[in-house]
Amino acid sequence: MYTSGKYSSRGPALIPRMKTKHRIYYITLFSVVLLGLIATGMFQFWPHSIESTADWTLDKRSVHDAPLIRLPVSSPIPERGDLSCRMHTCFDVYRCGYNPKNRIKVYIYPLQRFVDELGVPISSTGLSREYNDLLSAISDSDFYTDDVTRACLFIPSIDVLNQNSLRIRETAQALAMLPRWDKGMNHLLFNMLPGGPPDYNTALDVPRDRALLAGGGFSTWTYRQGYDVSIPVYSPLSADVDLPERQPGPRRYFILSSQTAIHREYRAELERLKEENGEALLLLDKCSNLSQGAASARKRCYKGQVYDYPQILQARWFWEAYFSSMKAIGLTTLQIINDRIYPYAARTYEQWNNPPVVKWSSVNSPLFLPLIPPRAPGFTAVVLTYDRVESLFRVITEISKVPSLAKLLVVWNNQNKSPPEETLWPKISVPLKVVRTKENKLSNRFFPYDEIETEAVLAIDDDIIMLTSDELQFGYEVWREFPDRLVGYPGRLHLWDHEMGKWKYESEWTNEVSMVLTGAAFYHKYFNYLYTYKMPGDIKNWVDAHMNCEDIAMNFLVANITGKAPIKVTPRKKFKCPECTAIDGLSLDQTHMVERSECINKFASVFGTMPLKVVEHRADPVLYKDDFPEKLKSFPNIGSL
Amino acid sequence: MERCSRGHMQAKKRYLILLSAGACLVLLFYLGGVQLPAASRSRHDRSRNGHRLEQPWPHFSDPLHPFLPWDQTDTEDYNLHISPRQKRDINTSVYKGKRCRMDSCFDFSLCRKNGFKVYVYPQQKGEKISESYQNILSTIEGSRFYTSDPGQACLFVLSLDTLDRDQLSPQYVHNLKTKVQNLPLWNDGRNHLIFNLYSGTWPDYTEDLGFDIGQAMLAKASISTENFRPNFDVSIPLFSKEHPRTGGERGYLKYNSIPPFRKYMLVFKGKRYLTGIGSDTRNALYHVHNAEDVVLLTTCKHGKDWQKHKDARCDKDNAEYDKYDYKEMLHNSTFCLVPRGRRLGSFRFLEALQAACVPVMLSNGWELPFSEIIDWNTAAVIGDERLLLQIPTTVRSIHQDKILSLRQQTQFLWEAYFSSVEKIVLTTLEIIQDRVLEHASRSSLMWNSHPGGLFALPQYSGYLGDFPFYYDTLGIRPYPKFTAVIHAVSPLVSQSQPILKLLAAVAKSQYCAQIIVLWNCDKPLPAKHRWPATSVPVIVIEGENKVMSSRFLPYEIIVTDAVLSLDEDTVLSTTEVDFAFTVWQSFPERIVGYPARSHFWDSNKERWGYTSKWTNDYSMVLTGAAIYHRYYHFLYTNYLPTSLKSMVDQLANCEDILMNFLVSAVTKLPPIKVTQKKQYKETMMGQSSRASRWADPDHFAQRQTCMNKFASWFGAMPLVHSQMRLDPVLFKDQVSILRKKYRDIERL
């Protein structure tokens, strides 16, 4: 996928070489600008603090300032918690409702200090550092609202992270006293250490009615599928641990056990394994470090580094994204609940699981279903024209002979002149439509006109008359086999110019192809939509301003989103320089090529990568040039000009 | 001079642009950098926009204690009190029945010896079995999981028909309770799998099966989240009596039209129940119906005495109902509503899925089919019955790119897991196998992307990059070399034998990593020095039992992703090999190679025909000279049934056809033929050099028979035709031959 900011290792250098004098000058200038920006940034930042000083001083409170609430002994206790609770039975979805942003609103109760009638607090720790971090993070997030009437989810400020520090009955009473408690409906509790001696339950023992539980250490029997959220147990020790940047490659230990409190029976088994495996197994009795999981158990070592790399990153990425802090844990929990309430806007598996490195290089084509569309709907030919009526009419007559042509669309790009009268147009057997454009822009050729009713589009210039009907029909057949690619006739190549250190456009007779020109190419209408509405950066405007390179832009776009090379069909012809149509005649070839090379460099920098793929093949009919009676061939009339 | 100064100017300009671009970047970074981590700013922004200031969680100045005091870190004494073994035993005795999990109700040790084998009880005389259940049983018996020896089994399936447990149904089997209890291997249902489509009856349709299932797992349709035992039961789709046993119809999606909207936005047509449960949502549908693009129709006209119970809306609803054709609506709607019926699941679900009409689920508490492995958010809209009135707004808000993707995913899922009874049953078994062999289970990506979990076998590798399907998703490319596997059947007698020439030509390819000679000849292995000296390693191995299938065994010595499969008499030049391999790198999931063949439907004989004539299209590329991914060796050996493989071995023929069937069934695409040297084709066609195998007059007839046998096992014809061949870019073009990289291909 496209993202700006990534540069291919082969890509162009950002700073061109310059003279030392200039360099110093520019470096100074740059530094000044940079310093200025930093100053501005600081300034930008400060006023906010000043502006909101009032809030800050007000915010900087002590937990001891929180109101003291005395719980009567007879205060009601919620029910234990219903194991059959599911989102559709125990969760009030009307509180969340339809929401254009598909984002739930989360309310946090203000801090209160609960004590029993004798004044003894319900918890030995009160508000813990971690729970405070968690609530601050939620408060700082987009989920947060302080408006209790708008909230979909309520989070008590009563800290139940560690059951050991709680007085269970009193904590339950405190929960029930919350103004919006309503049998715990839509309330979310965070607990990391559930249970206590002697039976060590796997879910918080505090009676909590229908409240959702984000709990550490659930068993499959206490976890309510699709209702609770299973969260990791955060170790306060890990806050200070800096994970070292690891190089890919084999690791010293194959298996590491760093759990301290292990039953002796289990430990004996581990010791036995250690004896059998020696060095590969490391059993730690006490480890202040975090256990990072076992190194991957992959056997294929011949491609060692390449294969190990993403997986190692993956583990680390998971840790950083979802486990490393109370903030990460809290926001992940909310996002999971959010996904359940707005499932049609839920994050995908890939979004959750692919580390940035994979997201970067991975391509997921929008046309991913392997599908060979039927021949019958045919294709729509879109001819872009300005004023070369005679040549246009010849093209129309030629194309109209292609059996699978369904409709012909002429895009009249000349605002100063009207298209010829209807009677003057060639009579053809398929519908012919003329669209007049408002501005003479190249991008008009790629607009997803409603008149295009087929998924296949043939983009063709108004002077391409050298393609036979067999060749065009064959091109359409090839497109059907590759509906997610550009399938075209003139092929071109991009090359890395080592001397200049940048990309170069190549139109010579080469053995390789990485682009096909859209002066004659089949493609899916979806790419018209993409070109018009999803072209990254300023490429579209750039093309329209320069009146050049719309075809290169289209090749970039398609290759970037599908990760696939175009398909060049049939032998090369001596096209009447389809790239220089606008200039006509003059020997501007050189300038033209320079400009097209610039396009490639420009686009590569906008895309942040070089998406074009080079291949060495082209498509011909199965029996092309075979010693076989011509009249028995499906596409006899192909080639030579 | 002028140009020079302009150049200078341009350079300056460029630097300026660069600088400003850099400045912009810094600025962006700044704004972004300040904004993102401290979203608190957004609150101030909001306040500036006229909203009131939101009260954030306060910043406390007190030193707060950690939630876990240092002296408490060793609190997990629980681990010290009870041994893991005791813990397991307690779980097993406590968590039974409704609380069954794999850990408490499944005996993993039965699977350790022989792997995941499934036993089907012998059918007893006098027991009638419905056609659907018969289909389920024969699928299992025909699968690679089947064992006829209960001593080897890990999973047991009853021969008693448990599909329809509606007492009012004619299919209902009586006295099931005693029949089940009397089974000698029942063992309180441990490691048993029970299939069920219908449970309960009018008026409340409970999920009770009417007999004690003990510790057995359920593969059940319309199962509710309350009764579903996660990672123990399997939710299966409701399918009809007519659902085909194998193969199955393909999805209806033929092309991806843009924009992706169809005539209707949302449709439904179905019964409304006047008595009993299941109609709350259907009763309310008329509120949303607008007779334009949201067409939700119900009828009261069903059952014997509907008129007795009919309500005020019935006549109006019935009239509207009759105006529309269900099929037409199904095919012309973007979304299809799937509200619960009497039971949670309904036939509408599979119908919508097949019709590429994105299902909008309105069945609160339905554990969706195969929910354990399918990410339904990628193919359906999960609605909430309570929010029925919001449904039109919700579906209208779904972006067209998402619709395009949802729609394609319906088709993928339909064809991968639902289109036949066989797929439903195998998916169920594979899900259970993934639980049993957890260390080698499929990732969500394997289940939810092409070609799906039935074709992506996790036992092959735990790394996705080892499969031919995920290169794009992982953003990687296949390993840039191949292993050649030459199938040798005749003894080595002279130094001019084709196999030696072939060996030399292949070894010279820059992409060749190694050559394996598979010695399937009755004569003993020739001495090492008889093989020519090559720059790459040549490994000679003796074929297992010297049978045909051994050429597709997943030999561990094949370490490259690509395999170049060769017959001993194949004539190929180094250039041809190089070219084919560069093409394969663009199509790593297909067979890429030289000798092409075609199939056709012989309407006179009503069967498939095979042709080796020169035609304008082809659907097979023979493995006498073809490159494909080594995963297909694994799939050929482990996925195909013994019946087909032994047929190939007995005939010593058709292995190449079978491989083409397999690969096309996986990819749903044709193979790719690349240019060949004239000479080569003639050798192939003339059949003169292929003394033993090709001269046999039966050979051709056999291949015809094979085709039909294979097609019937696959349940459909998987082969796909292609009309194109891939040639080198400058093939036969009128430019100097010296310019051409693959010039040898056109030189005779």
Side-chain angles (χ1 to χ4, degrees), chain A residues 26-52:
Chain A
Y26 284 116
I27 286 176
T28 319
L29 186 66
F30 190 78
S31 319
V32 169
V33 173
L34 190 76
L35 277 172
L37 275 165
I38 291 172
T40 325
M42 300 284 272
F43 200 68
Q44 278 262 329
F45 195 67
W46 276 116
H48 283 292
S49 322
I50 296 163
E51 214 174 77
S52 50

Side-chain angles (χ1 to χ4, degrees), chain A residues 69-77 114-120 122 167 169-174 176-177:
Chain A
I69 310 286
R70 210 172 280 273
L71 296 163
V73 186
S74 59
S75 180
I77 302 172
F114 290 93
V115 292
D116 63 12
E117 279 190 334
L118 301 172
V120 184
I122 59 165
R167 295 166 68 196
R169 183 192 148 90
E170 287 74 14
T171 307
Q173 286 176 321
M177 274 185 80

